[in-house]
Amino acid sequence: MLVKTYKRFRIEKNGEKDKLANHLIREVAKLSYKEPFWETVKKLGLKPEAVKEAMLYLEEMGEIEIKRASDGRRLWVLTLRDIKRNPVRLDRWLGLTSERRAGK
């Protein structure tokens, strides 16, 4: 199912693409405590690059902020764990950003 969501994410344009990326990231975030995480993602049929691509897209849109280490490296799994722990904050953030877009 997540593979189909990712494939649709790849071909969709702006409006639906946001929803698909958000859905994909939320579903993957549910698995963020399973170790090794990237092996779990591969078992679902997704490549780690697919998850990272969706996260980068959401970051570019200003909907999430990927955590970074002190040396500048992105902390993908920690960001997903934060989304899992605090989904209400993400919903509020998504609501705020969509209001800003509507005002433009």
Side-chain angles (χ1 to χ4, degrees), residues 2-88:
L2 291 178
V3 175
K4 289 181 182 179
T5 303
Y6 174 69
K7 287 180 180 179
R8 284 187 57 210
F9 163 76
R10 291 285 307 225
I11 61 173
E12 285 292 331
K13 299 297 178 200
N14 293 333
E16 187 70 20
K17 194 168 188 163
D18 295 349
K19 293 176 186 174
L20 292 169
N22 186 27
H23 174 72
L24 180 69
I25 295 306
R26 283 187 181 273
E27 291 300 316
V28 172
K30 292 177 184 176
L31 307 170
S32 62
Y33 285 97
K34 292 189 178 182
E35 293 291 335
F37 174 73
W38 294 115
E39 292 300 321
T40 306
V41 169
K42 287 178 186 176
K43 287 179 186 175
L44 294 173
L46 284 174
K47 293 181 180 179
E49 293 79 23
V51 175
K52 292 175 183 179
E53 180 183 350
M55 290 178 73
L56 285 172
Y57 174 77
L58 289 174
E59 186 178 46
E60 287 173 10
M61 299 305 294
E63 295 180 5
I64 65 171
E65 184 177 337
I66 299 172
K67 293 184 177 199
R68 298 189 189 277
S70 59
D71 63 357
R73 293 178 50 210
R74 292 182 179 103
L75 303 174
W76 305 102
V77 179
L78 289 177
T79 303
L80 288 169
R81 287 179 182 167
D82 191 39
I83 290 170
K84 181 180 191 253
R85 268 187 261 128
N86 219 344
V88 174

